[in-house]
Structures are given as C-alpha cells and as structure tokens.
Amino acid sequence: MRRLQAYLLAAVLLLLTVPSRAVSQVDSVRIDVELRDDGSAFIRETWIIDISGDITEWYLGKENLGRMRIRDFSVTDESGVVYASEGLDWDIHRSRNAKAFKCGIVTKRDGCELCWGVGSSGLHTYVASYVLTGLVKSYSDMDGFNHMFVTQIDGGARKVLLNIRKPGTILTDETVSVWGFKFKGETEVLDGAAKYWSTGTFGSSSSLVAMVGFQKGMFNPEITEDRSFEDVKKEAFKGSDYKKDNSWLLGNLLQLLTVLLFMLVPLVGIRRMIKIRKRMKELLGGKMKDVEWFRGVPVGGDLREASNILRAFSGKPMTENQNLISAYMMRLFYRGAFSLVPQ
C-alpha cells in the first residue's frame, strides 16, 4: 500500500515539474491587398509573432483556391533578410536551424501552405508577399470575390487588419459593396479603400472572410463565373449574421421614416392653422382686417356667438366658458334680475 502511494506521489510530482508546451503568440496581423486590372492581387501580410517552444516553422493556409493560383512567394523579417525560396520543394521534416531564413510552398488538394522557418525564439516581424491570380472574378451583374484571407490562428491574435485597394482608383460606397464573415469586427469603405478590422481579441476559432463587389467596368477579370454575384451573396449569407441585407434595409427605412416625420409635423401644423383661420373667417363674416371695432357686445349682442369667436381666437375653451358665465351674470345684474342688499 505504501509502495502504491509512493508511485502516485512520484507521478504527481512529475506532472508538476514537467513544463507545459509553450504556444507561440500572434500579436497582430496586417494584410495589404493591391488589386490589378486583370483581377489578380499583390498581397503583403505582416505577422508580428512571439516565437516560443520548439516550433520550427510558420505557415499560412490558403484554402479553396479553385482556379486561383499563388506565385512569387517571398518572406523577409525585421532584419531585412530576404529568405531563400525553395519553391514547391519545402520539406517540413527538418530542424529549426535547417529551415531558418528559408521559405517554400506545400501543395494541398484545393490549396496550399505558405511556409517559412521561424529562426530564433522571441518577438519577430515576418512579411510574407505573393501574387494571387484570379481573385476578382467577373459575374453577370458585378465583379468581385468572396475570399478567406486569414484562417484560424492557434491561440488567436490581439488584432487583425485588412486593407484592400486598387492603385489609381478611389473606392467609394457608390462603386463598392463590402461584407465580412467569421470574425468579430467592422468593415467599411474608407479613405478610398475597403477596410476590415477586428474589435477585441481575434479568437482561435475566428477567421477573416471578405466579400467585395465592384460595379462593372472597374476590372477586366481573367476568370468569368457563369452565375451572378447575387448568387454568391445568397450563399455567403446562409448561417451568417446578415439576413438578406436587412441591416441596410432597416437603416434606410428608419431614415425614410425620420424624413417623413419631419415633413408630416409641419404639414399637420399648417393644416390645423388653415382650419382655424377658416373657422375664424366664418365666425367674423369676413377677414379680420375688415371687422369693425365695437364698444358694446358685437354680433347683435349675442353673448354665445361672441364667446365662440373669442374661443376660436384664444384657443382656451375653459377660460372662455367661465367668461361666458360671468357675462350672463353681468347682463342679468344690469337688467335688474337681482340686486345687492346690504345686511
């Protein structure tokens, strides 16, 4: 029994003393995309990573490429060294030293992995550049793409940014429509570019998918799809936070209701004023400027009719009712209907 307890104690101590496998932490990712007339794009990805543990390489997964192709892949780091490219001959089964300052590509069934050696441990800034052909495609109604620029990151990242530009062209809300998927963040056409950025931490289960549509005439894409961009949107919206673009519809509907409200309130006021003036004219028997001054009670001494005129002018029915009662009492007093008797 004591021997069993000793073994258990030794096992617990061993678990406590063995250090946990450190995970390299991504601080930030910035992706700059420069679109070209033929629909291809020059893409530069800047990764700031705190390398730790025993990892030997870093790679960027590029999935679902279809007819798109990646070429001219290169990597540099904060030292300015340009990594030696091994093309499609990248061997993953090597040591850290053997992979240092080298980069290459591993092909997959419907994509590839862009790889490079991490070199030493510590904080590094890696800049991976490549050309992606066929990114912008031609559809029957628009040109555009729906592309995953960032796949899931082990351990997540503090922030992720994506900037999409077309040199020589200022992108605006009138010419470009943008949507984002699979991450918590914002997207907007700003400063002549389509911009995406994470808000808060970019979780390990997050990825960044950008869908961008361009009006016809901005590109001459090499790839033509036999469907509409509207079909691409409908497919992308399935299971997403977008509900057939209801957010856009709701925003415009609220704006329209606000405008109608501001228009309706003055119209109601004008209509009421016209009604009041019409009533005044009926009561006075003409325009106000044509009404003569009276020393006594106007309208033939009819107190009720005079009260109706005052009520229409003053807009205070309770006050005029009290005044009418006082006028009747005063008339009765002057006609001797009752008198004051001293006690």
Side-chain angles (χ1 to χ4, degrees):
M1 186 66 179
R2 290 182 178 178
R3 181 175 296 179
L4 179 59
Q5 292 176 344
Y7 282 140
L8 291 174
L9 179 61
V12 172
L13 291 175
L14 182 62
L15 290 174
L16 292 175
T17 55
V18 173
S20 60
R21 187 174 182 269
V23 177
S24 297
Q25 182 62 50
V26 177
D27 176 74
S28 64
V29 180
R30 178 189 173 111
I31 302 178
D32 294 288
V33 180
E34 293 183 1
L35 301 175
R36 298 172 175 176
D37 288 336
D38 62 357
S40 64
F42 174 73
I43 300 176
R44 182 171 55 253
E45 301 192 19
T46 303
W47 290 69
I48 300 178
I49 311 171
D50 188 3
I51 300 296
S52 60
D54 56 359
I55 69 168
T56 61
E57 68 179 40
W58 198 267
Y59 69 91
L60 308 178
K62 302 302 175 183
E63 305 170 353
N64 302 317
L65 292 182
R67 289 188 284 171
M68 295 184 290
R69 296 292 181 268
I70 289 179
R71 58 178 175 83
D72 301 337
F73 173 53
S74 65
V75 177
T76 62
D77 61 21
E78 70 279 358
S79 68
V81 174
V82 179
Y83 287 22
S85 175
E86 298 182 348
L88 300 177
D89 298 325
W90 184 259
D91 181 8
I92 64 174
H93 304 291
R94 290 181 291 176
S95 66
R96 178 182 284 191
N97 288 336
K99 294 180 181 178
F101 304 111
K102 298 182 180 69
C103 65
I105 299 176
V106 175
T107 57
K108 297 291 184 179
R109 184 176 62 86
D110 191 23
C112 65
E113 293 175 351
L114 306 180
C115 312
W116 65 86
V118 296
S120 61
S121 297
L123 193 65
H124 290 280
T125 300
Y126 302 105
V127 180
S129 303
Y130 55 93
V131 173
L132 179 62
T133 65
L135 176 61
V136 180
K137 302 168 184 63
S138 175
Y139 297 90
S140 60
D141 51 351
M142 299 180 75
D143 296 332
F145 58 82
N146 184 31
H147 184 71
M148 180 180 291
F149 285 93
V150 182
T151 58
Q152 293 182 359
I153 301 172
D154 188 17
R158 185 174 60 86
K159 64 178 178 179
V160 173
L161 302 95
L162 170 64
N163 297 314
I164 303 173
R165 297 182 180 275
K166 187 175 189 293
T169 302
I170 298 177
L171 306 183
T172 66
D173 289 323
E174 287 72 30
T175 59
V176 180
S177 298
V178 295
W179 300 267
F181 304 91
K182 297 184 180 297
F183 75 106
K184 182 181 179 181
E186 300 290 339
T187 177
E188 187 177 358
V189 178
L190 186 67
D191 299 329
K195 296 178 179 288
Y196 295 75
W197 65 94
S198 60
T199 55
T201 302
F202 191 86
S204 57
S205 62
S206 301
S207 54
L208 196 160
V209 177
M211 184 168 66
V212 184
F214 305 92
Q215 69 176 19
K216 284 290 188 179
M218 298 177 64
F219 295 90
N220 296 297
E222 293 182 343
I223 296 178
T224 300
E225 296 286 350
D226 188 21
R227 56 176 176 162
S228 68
F229 192 75
E230 188 65 28
D231 293 333
V232 177
K233 284 173 55 180
K234 290 179 180 178
E235 184 177 342
F237 286 165
K238 293 178 181 178
S240 73
D241 291 335
Y242 295 98
K243 302 297 183 183
K244 296 182 180 180
D245 224 5
N246 279 346
S247 59
W248 175 88
L249 180 61
L250 180 60
N252 282 269
L253 183 60
L254 289 175
Q255 290 182 3
L256 179 61
L257 289 175
T258 302
V259 172
L260 290 176
L261 181 62
F262 276 103
M263 293 176 61
L264 185 61
V265 170
L267 287 176
V268 171
I270 293 173
R271 183 179 178 183
R272 180 175 175 79
M273 185 178 296
I274 293 174
K275 187 176 180 181
I276 291 174
R277 289 192 174 183
K278 183 178 179 180
R279 176 60 176 161
M280 289 179 177
K281 188 174 181 180
E282 291 175 353
L283 292 171
L284 295 175
K287 296 182 179 180
M288 186 181 294
K289 64 179 182 179
D290 299 327
V291 177
E292 299 179 357
W293 288 93
F294 292 87
R295 297 184 61 85
V297 179
V299 291
D302 189 332
L303 294 179
R304 179 172 294 278
E305 187 66 18
S307 178
N308 290 337
I309 295 174
L310 292 174
R311 184 183 291 107
F313 276 85
S314 67
K316 299 177 180 180
M318 290 298 296
T319 301
E320 296 308 324
N321 286 339
Q322 294 174 358
N323 291 339
L324 177 60
I325 294 174
S326 299
Y328 273 122
M329 293 183 64
M330 185 67 70
R331 172 170 286 181
L332 290 172
F333 178 78
Y334 276 106
R335 289 181 177 179
F338 59 87
S339 60
L340 298 177
V341 178
Q343 294 183 354

